[in-house]
């Protein structure tokens, strides 16, 4: 599932980031890399607040659709 369709307040693990170039590098620098653990804190109009590496980051819905995650158990 992509990050946009993932449940809120559930531990998630990133499987793949389907981007290239500058956007992928910026996400990587923020901690959005394969095998990272993240959690969606809140959602508003498709835009997300995500907890990654003990920091909260705002992600737009276009970018959230390109981050593939699974529920981390």
């Amino acid at each position: 599932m992509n990050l946009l369709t993932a449940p809120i307040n559930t531990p998630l693990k990133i499987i793949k980031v389907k981007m290239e170039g500058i956007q992928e590098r910026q996400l990587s620098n923020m901690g959005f890399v394969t095998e990272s653990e993240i959690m969606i804190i809140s959602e508003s109009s498709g835009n997300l607040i995500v907890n990654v590496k003990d920091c909260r980051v705002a992600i737009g819905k276009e970018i959230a659709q390109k981050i593939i995650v699974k529920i981390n158990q």
Side-chain angles (χ1 to χ4, degrees):
M1 78 185 99
N2 63 39
L3 190 57
L4 193 59
T5 60
I8 295 174
N9 292 324
T10 303
L12 304 167
K13 186 174 276 193
I14 296 177
I15 298 172
K16 184 176 183 179
V17 178
K18 299 192 306 186
M19 283 189 221
E20 294 182 8
I22 293 171
Q23 280 187 328
E24 181 185 21
R25 194 172 320 125
Q26 288 175 335
L27 286 174
S28 176
N29 289 339
M30 290 188 286
F32 289 90
V33 294
T34 303
E35 298 297 315
S36 288
E37 294 182 13
I38 62 174
M39 183 182 299
I40 301 171
I41 303 300
S42 67
E43 182 270 334
S44 177
S45 303
N47 300 313
L48 304 174
I49 303 294
V50 180
N51 190 6
V52 57
K53 298 204 181 232
D54 296 327
C55 294
R56 290 185 179 190
V57 179
I59 298 291
K61 56 185 168 185
E62 294 84 14
I63 293 174
Q65 290 175 333
K66 296 178 181 179
I67 300 173
I68 308 302
V69 296
K70 68 177 182 176
I71 295 175
N72 191 17
Q73 298 187 14

